[in-house]
Amino acid sequence: RLQFIPVLQNEEAHLWRYLINKYHYIKESLFFGAQMRYLVFGGRDVQRTGHLLRKKKRQSRFKQWKLALRQIQREANLKLVVNNARFLIMPWIDSPNLASRILGGIVKQLPLDWEARYNYQPVLLETFVQLDRFKGTCYQAANWIEVGKTEGYSLFSSFKRYAIAKAIYVYPLRKNFRRQLCRM
């Protein structure tokens, strides 16, 4: 049995940061905007529950206008997509299918916790799997959908050419997620 504890208190936040910094290959980064962090516990002894040219010019202006609208739409609806930025299972834990079980549990728990915290529910989860380290097997086993690969990207231009391609996985939380992401 798994229990998902939202990281809301300082004590939990310190533990989360400690574990990520000690055991995750990327370590902790600055995360911006709305976010949820979880500690996942399993077993019977767990006591706590856990609850984003004229014709050409005319066409060009129209395209720019459409792109500007798309950017406004993207910014307005980006909050509906939640990125799974870090996923870590302690190296000494050995439990069959644990990763996919955690991912499946998060799919159910996160929308409820997100709504309680931010007053709306996301419609899509996304994650990026670094292909030189992982295959994405646990995401596939938890019914996440691979939608493509990045060309390699870094927020820092000095690392751009060295960034490693990542597989992009998504998990729709609602059947009408496309309509919700495309509305203004």
Side-chain angles (χ1 to χ4, degrees):
R1 182 175 161 187
L2 298 176
Q3 295 195 356
F4 298 85
I5 311 299
V7 174
L8 302 172
Q9 306 296 323
N10 277 340
E11 182 181 312
E12 295 154 345
H14 290 303
L15 176 59
W16 187 92
R17 277 194 297 277
Y18 169 79
L19 294 171
I20 291 294
N21 285 321
K22 184 153 177 76
Y23 297 105
H24 198 279
Y25 72 101
I26 297 177
K27 311 291 182 218
E28 183 183 12
S29 298
L30 290 176
F31 298 113
F32 300 97
Q35 55 191 271
M36 290 291 302
R37 299 173 188 194
Y38 288 94
L39 295 169
V40 180
F41 296 95
R44 292 183 207 127
D45 298 333
V46 179
Q47 307 231 338
R48 301 172 65 187
T49 307
H51 297 84
L52 220 293
L53 309 163
R54 251 196 234 157
K55 189 175 181 180
K56 275 195 169 182
K57 281 184 181 177
R58 206 175 296 144
Q59 286 177 347
S60 175
R61 275 191 223 129
F62 180 68
K63 283 181 183 176
Q64 288 175 0
W65 179 73
K66 278 177 62 177
L67 289 173
L69 277 178
R70 189 180 307 152
Q71 183 63 23
I72 291 167
Q73 180 183 35
R74 179 183 177 275
E75 288 174 8
N77 295 329
L78 191 57
K79 71 180 188 178
L80 299 174
V81 178
V82 174
N83 180 269
N84 178 21
R86 297 290 183 274
F87 184 60
L88 172 67
I89 296 176
M90 297 296 106
W92 58 86
I93 303 293
D94 184 23
S95 179
N97 308 314
L98 180 60
S100 59
R101 287 178 46 227
I102 290 172
L103 291 169
I106 286 294
V107 162
K108 294 173 185 164
Q109 186 68 42
L110 181 113
L112 304 172
D113 291 340
W114 198 273
E115 185 171 37
R117 190 170 187 181
Y118 298 110
N119 297 317
Y120 68 93
Q121 284 194 5
V123 299
L124 186 72
L125 301 178
E126 72 174 356
T127 197
F128 299 89
V129 175
Q130 194 167 321
L131 295 172
D132 66 331
R133 288 181 167 266
F134 307 105
K135 295 178 184 175
T137 307
C138 63
Y139 289 96
Q140 294 164 16
N143 296 318
W144 288 57
I145 303 159
E146 185 177 353
V147 294
K149 293 180 178 38
T150 67
E151 293 180 16
Y153 174 75
S154 174
L155 293 174
F156 305 103
S157 60
S158 59
F159 295 114
K160 207 167 206 162
R161 71 182 125 144
Y162 303 112
I164 293 161
K166 296 176 180 151
I168 306 164
Y169 284 88
V170 298
Y171 191 100
L173 296 169
R174 296 196 185 160
K175 288 180 183 178
N176 65 346
F177 76 96
R178 285 184 183 91
R179 189 169 4 119
Q180 289 190 283
L181 289 174
C182 292
R183 72 174 187 219
M184 285 283 281

